[in-house]
Amino acid sequence: MTSAESADSPGRPQRQGSVGDSAGGAAPRPRRRRRRGGRGRGRAQLAAVADQKVAPEPDAAPSDQVRPAKPTRKQGGPTPTSKRPAPGRGRPDPRIRTVRETSAGGLVVAGFDGDDELRAALIGRVDRRGRTLWSLPKGHIETGETAELTAIREIAEETGLTGSVLASIGKIDYWFAVEGRRVHKTVHHFLLSWQSGDLSAEDYEVSEVAWVPLAELATRLTYSDERKLVATARTVIEDLTADPSELAARVAAEPRSEPSAYEKAAAERNAVRNDPPKPRRRRGGRRSRGRRSGGSGGSGQT
């Protein structure tokens, strides 16, 4: 059997050579394996391209090749600074003194007899911008006073009117700052019936006073908390005017004269609200004189 016959023997078919090959036939070319996913660069080519991108130019200066790393704390670099909260945010400033004040006042109303429309007395104060702020008369509770007696006294001082307490209409509290102090103020309000007196603005804290119809109080009052109190007072007024005997009994009743423990404590706080703060004690106690003078010998100080 010749070599040609052995090549054509049954079995796995052999690939024929290209045109121009010798009759004996050269070795067949290896079959190229197609890469899935389309054409792409081999790993060797990708590595070469990456080396070209990373390799620095021969003419570049060393400072342009690699950017110096930032120093860390272990290498002696600057330590990071912590951001401190701005004043007025987060914790309150301990240098500002906080005090508590308790006051009483109310809404004195005329016209319960039915001869005229219901109207209430308001006071006006001028703020730093020159605006007139309308509010209900009020003042601090003093020693030996109940909240009801304080309301009667403050209304008489700031408006010139004398009234009888009919009912409590609620309390409000708020914060404000004045003269380096942070003040938390609580005000107890009462509904009063006008008995005598004429409007007067003789109090140094009041710029003007006025009678305002009860229906217009919501638009005249500056503070929303007091407008809510007026809404409560109108409900009480409707109930009392519907029962004249109950209204007459409350007008004739004497106000409470014995202060409670809360009112006594409030009067004490109000009495010392303007006193200078007490000096704070240093932590750890006082140091000995010998340590402050640098030792026990030689200096002559005792």
Side-chain angles (χ1 to χ4, degrees):
M1 181 183 295
T2 63
S3 59
E5 293 176 353
S6 61
D8 297 334
S9 59
R12 187 174 182 180
Q14 300 293 328
R15 186 180 180 184
Q16 297 182 357
S18 60
V19 178
D21 290 343
S22 61
R29 293 182 181 179
R31 189 175 181 180
R32 182 179 298 177
R33 182 178 298 177
R34 294 186 62 182
R35 296 178 59 88
R36 296 182 178 179
R39 296 181 180 180
R41 297 179 178 179
R43 295 183 179 179
Q45 294 178 349
L46 292 176
V49 173
D51 294 339
Q52 291 178 3
K53 292 183 178 181
V54 176
E57 299 180 0
D59 297 336
S63 60
D64 298 335
Q65 296 178 7
V66 182
R67 181 176 297 177
K70 296 182 179 180
T72 60
R73 297 182 64 179
K74 294 183 179 181
Q75 299 176 356
T79 57
T81 57
S82 59
K83 296 182 179 180
R84 297 182 178 180
R89 297 181 179 179
R91 298 182 178 179
D93 192 347
R95 295 173 297 179
I96 301 178
R97 181 188 178 193
T98 301
V99 297
R100 295 171 57 190
E101 297 181 359
T102 307
S103 298
L107 185 70
V108 54
V109 178
F112 280 104
D113 51 6
D115 295 339
D116 199 356
E117 65 173 347
L118 295 176
R119 61 190 187 279
L122 301 183
I123 62 173
R125 292 187 174 93
V126 179
D127 64 355
R128 297 179 180 178
R129 299 181 181 181
R131 302 175 301 179
T132 301
L133 307 180
W134 292 96
S135 62
L136 302 178
K138 55 185 173 295
H140 293 99
I141 296 177
E142 296 184 357
T143 304
E145 286 184 342
T146 62
E148 291 88 336
L149 292 177
T150 301
I152 295 173
R153 177 180 56 81
E154 287 293 336
I155 290 175
E157 292 178 357
E158 295 185 350
T159 65
L161 306 176
T162 302
S164 298
V165 175
L166 300 179
S168 173
I169 56 177
K171 66 177 181 179
I172 60 176
D173 66 295
Y174 51 91
W175 292 82
F176 64 94
V178 59
E179 298 179 356
R181 295 177 299 152
R182 184 186 298 107
V183 182
H184 182 203
K185 190 168 187 177
T186 303
V187 186
H188 300 265
H189 289 84
F190 299 89
L191 173 65
L192 288 82
S193 174
W194 171 66
Q195 298 298 313
S196 61
D198 297 323
L199 286 179
S200 174
E202 296 181 358
D203 192 278
Y204 71 97
E205 295 181 351
V206 178
S207 59
E208 56 181 312
V209 294
W211 283 112
V212 179
L214 200 64
E216 300 178 6
L217 289 180
T219 58
R220 182 68 69 89
L221 286 169
T222 302
Y223 305 105
S224 60
D225 291 339
E226 293 185 346
R227 291 195 292 267
K228 295 179 181 179
L229 294 176
V230 170
T232 303
R234 297 188 65 172
T235 303
V236 177
I237 292 173
E238 292 176 359
D239 295 340
L240 292 177
T241 52
D243 189 355
S245 60
E246 178 65 19
L247 175 61
R250 295 196 181 190
V251 170
E254 294 292 331
R256 185 171 56 91
S257 60
E258 184 63 28
S260 62
Y262 168 80
E263 292 165 334
K264 292 179 181 179
E268 293 179 359
R269 289 193 300 267
N270 292 336
V272 300
R273 67 185 184 277
N274 295 325
D275 294 348
K278 297 180 181 179
R280 297 183 179 181
R281 297 182 59 182
R282 296 182 178 179
R283 296 181 179 179
R286 297 182 178 179
R287 297 181 179 180
S288 61
R289 295 183 178 180
R291 292 182 62 183
R292 285 188 295 175
S293 60
S296 58
S299 64
Q301 298 180 0
T302 58

